[in-house]
Every structure is written in structure tokens, then in C-alpha cells.
Amino acid sequence: MKLINMFSRLTRPSTVAFICRGFSSSPSLFQVSSHTDAHQHHMNCKVAVLGASGGIGQPLSLLLKRSSLISQLSLYDIAHTPGVAADLSHIETRPKVSGHMGPEQLKDCLTGAQVVIIPAGVPRKPGMTRDDLFNTNASIVRDLCQACTEFCPDAMIGIVTNPVNSTVPIASEVFKKNKVYDPNRIFGVTTLDVVRSNTFIAEAKGLDVSKVNVPVIGGHSGVTIIPLISQATPPLSFPQDDRKKLTVRIQNAGTEVVEAKAGAGSATLSMAYAAARFTTSLLEAIGGAEGKIECAFVRSDETEAKYFATPVLLGKNGVERNLGIGKLIEYEVNLLKEAMPELLANIQKGEDFVRQS
């Protein structure tokens, strides 16, 4: 099995059933196949969600509660967590749920966690960029990652909190400071960009969305989001104007939701779905499943940016192999050039925040 082919067959979840398609068998968020049944109950995976009472945290916790790969779901927030945990604990699925509230309960929440997903923070309002969230969310991510370095230094960390282009460098710097940094275990969850690309492109072409896969590279805001339509599965092409319109829509899809919600929040349900998809792939890889590929914003040597999203092959210890950016067409090369100054500035901003705090 050639790794080259895996790039064009990014792991996709199917909402109906798990169909084993050889190399990139797709995880379902809702059902686990008999192929996984054999080892899933030997997996005693504790997953912690930090920010579990929020707009993303609650639906994410609900989706994770449906996973038979998780034995304990540990929920943390600064308010309402006992209620969220009580509510979820009534659901007839495998994970045991615990609720933890306030910084003094972080130790219990995190101790023994193998995977930590962090959606904590404030959402965007109309007119705000992801960068406008920086001041509030930067310190939240810094403090939660500090707790992770103390109580679960070997856990896989999935950062959902925006601006991801800056919060992932913040997480990394905190782990470095505490001398427990492993670049293969810290992920910026950019899965939503892939999910949106698949959805919009399937709609535009009238295709079955479960068969469409579009890798998305770069970062996780505006021009730094680079959908590689030229590398889509199945192969497809668009007139230049249409390609440009689709690209811009994918780049601004978050704003589309922020404006449609008119002050009531940002993309919470689609983000929860995407984060659950990413977490499911990661858990399956930890459990020994092969060929689990997701795009994620990780420490990278692919470009001049220290962090860069590309498809990565997931393994028992996090990133097993970075599958790179592949062959770009001229239009995509130009998108990459446009993205780079902003991406570099975002990364620098995150690193500086930790150095100065």
C-alpha cells in the first residue's frame, strides 16, 4: 500500500455505518464496526474536554459520549459542568462521564487523560476577526495547557480555541517551557475546513458528499485556509472563476455562520462535529488502526512557517508521518504566497505571548 495514495483518500466519517475500505476505512462518529469491536473494549481511553459547557463543548461532549472507544469522558469548565455531566451521564453508552468545575478541579479532570480537546474560550461576534479573540483566548489556552503539562504531560492535545494559528504555538511554548514538549502530540484541529470544503464542493458538483475529499492546508483563518481542489477525490475541476468563488467561500465560511447567527455565536455545531471526527480518528489510531489521516495544524518543516496544516498520518504516538502539501497548481501556489505573511505573523504573536507572560 503506497502512502502516496493515502493523500487522495483522506479519512472520512460516514454518518450511517462504518465501511471498511482497506486503507482509509472511515470512522463513524455514531457506530463502530465489528473490525474495531475486537480491540475497542480493551481501550480504556480517558478523554478530557476543556470548555465542555460552551457552544462547541456541549455538542462535542454529546458526540464523544456516543463513542465506544472512550471509557471515561472528563468534562471541565468554569460554570455549569456538573449539570452538563449529569445530563450526558444518563445516555446509554459506554463512556462514564465526570464533571469538573473551576481551576481547583483541573487535576482530577486531567489526571490519566490520553486525549485532551480544548474548545474553551469566547466565540466570535459579527465584525470580529479570529485575531480579535486573541487577548481573551490566549491566556485561557496558556493556563489550560499549563495544567496539562502538570497532570497529563503525555496526552495528545487538540486545540480548537481560536485563533488556532496563534493558540497552537502558545500550547507548544507552554509545553517547551515545562520541558515536556512533543511536537507529535499537539494538534490544531482544522478538520472543519475539510468538512466545509467537502460539503460545498459536493454541492457544487452534485456529488455524494460521503465520497468527496478535499485536503486543506495552511492555517485556520481567512486567507491562510488553502483548499487543494486540484487534489480532491474524486478528481474534479472548475472554471477559474468558480474555483475562486468556492475558495473564498471556504475561507470565509466561519464568518458566514457568525453573520447568520447575528450575534448569537459562531460555528458551534459544525465545529463540534469536526472536532469529534478528528478525535475519533485519533482514538482509532491510538488503538492501533492503520491509515488514519486527518488534516491538522502541526509543527512542520513543510514551508517556512513553523506550524502548518497538512494531511497527517496518525499513529499510537500522535503524528506518525506528515504527508506534506503534495503537488500544487499555480492558483494554489499563489494562495500559499498570499497566506504566508499572515500565518507567520499569527505564529509569532502566539510565541511572543508566552515569552512575555
Side-chain angles (χ1 to χ4, degrees):
M1 294 185 205
K2 293 203 175 115
L3 279 169
I4 307 359
N5 293 338
M6 294 167 22
F7 191 61
S8 61
R9 305 187 13 204
L10 289 172
T11 317
R12 288 298 317 281
S14 119
T15 48
V16 187
F18 179 111
I19 302 159
C20 193
R21 287 198 217 117
F23 211 96
S24 64
S25 43
S26 328
S28 157
L29 301 179
F30 313 113
Q31 232 169 302
V32 179
S33 73
S34 54
H35 141 93
T36 323
D37 284 346
H39 69 257
Q40 76 193 22
H41 289 296
H42 303 298
M43 279 185 74
N44 286 314
C45 239
K46 176 175 176 177
V47 176
V49 179
L50 308 185
S53 302
I56 296 167
Q58 289 201 42
L60 170 58
S61 300
L62 172 63
L63 288 169
L64 294 178
K65 176 69 172 99
R66 302 198 67 166
S67 173
S68 52
L69 301 170
I70 299 171
S71 54
Q72 189 184 349
L73 187 58
S74 187
L75 309 182
Y76 172 82
D77 215 317
I78 52 170
H80 312 305
T81 342
V84 174
D87 195 356
L88 288 176
S89 71
H90 295 178
I91 294 170
E92 52 176 3
T93 51
R94 184 183 181 218
K96 299 272 180 281
V97 184
S98 58
H100 309 267
M101 194 164 73
E104 63 288 343
Q105 293 188 14
L106 266 170
K107 181 179 181 180
D108 285 349
C109 175
L110 291 171
T111 302
Q114 279 129 305
V115 176
V116 179
I117 306 296
I118 309 183
V122 294
R124 278 203 295 160
K125 297 221 164 27
M128 287 174 85
T129 64
R130 285 184 179 85
D131 211 38
D132 292 334
L133 304 173
F134 183 85
N135 292 334
T136 308
N137 289 354
S139 43
I140 292 171
V141 169
R142 176 197 62 200
D143 297 347
L144 291 174
C145 285
Q146 176 62 38
C148 292
T149 66
E150 292 170 39
F151 306 124
C152 56
D154 297 329
M156 311 278 181
I157 312 290
I159 308 279
V160 173
T161 308
N162 274 315
V164 166
N165 294 358
S166 302
T167 53
V168 169
I170 287 171
S172 298
E173 290 302 312
V174 170
F175 273 75
K176 278 183 204 167
K177 232 180 186 175
N178 290 281
K179 301 189 169 43
V180 286
Y181 177 57
D182 179 349
N184 294 328
R185 289 172 181 264
I186 296 179
F187 301 87
V189 180
T190 60
T191 317
L192 182 52
D193 299 323
V194 175
V195 167
R196 285 167 166 158
S197 300
N198 293 342
T199 303
F200 301 164
I201 284 164
E203 276 170 6
K205 288 286 189 190
L207 296 168
D208 172 355
V209 70
S210 71
K211 308 270 195 305
V212 176
N213 259 311
V214 185
V216 182
I217 64 167
H220 185 57
S221 66
V223 297
T224 69
I225 298 168
I226 305 166
L228 300 183
I229 298 173
S230 73
Q231 294 181 24
T233 310
L236 41 84
S237 67
F238 289 95
Q240 190 62 9
D241 272 5
D242 293 354
R243 184 187 294 273
K244 186 167 184 207
K245 275 191 198 120
L246 266 170
T247 300
V248 170
R249 187 180 175 205
I250 291 161
Q251 291 177 333
N252 295 322
T255 305
E256 191 178 302
V257 176
V258 168
E259 286 170 358
K261 287 194 175 180
S266 56
T268 52
L269 302 173
S270 52
M271 184 63 240
Y273 168 84
R277 169 181 152 173
F278 175 80
T279 308
T280 302
S281 292
L282 190 54
L283 289 168
E284 291 190 333
I286 291 168
E290 290 180 3
K292 294 291 157 193
I293 300 168
E294 294 286 351
C295 291
F297 187 68
V298 294
R299 186 80 171 82
S300 175
D301 300 321
E302 290 300 314
T303 65
E304 61 192 287
K306 274 190 213 170
Y307 299 88
F308 197 82
T310 44
V312 295
L313 175 64
L314 301 170
K316 290 185 176 188
N317 298 304
V319 177
E320 191 161 299
R321 180 161 168 207
N322 192 320
L323 300 178
I325 60 180
K327 189 159 171 38
L328 307 186
I329 60 170
E330 190 188 0
Y331 177 70
E332 293 160 349
V333 170
N334 289 330
L335 289 178
L336 182 53
K337 282 183 191 147
E338 283 167 36
M340 203 47 77
E342 183 171 323
L343 191 50
L344 293 170
N346 294 161
I347 292 166
Q348 189 67 50
K349 189 171 182 176
E351 291 183 338
D352 290 347
F353 176 79
V354 179
R355 290 193 191 118
Q356 291 154 12
S357 61

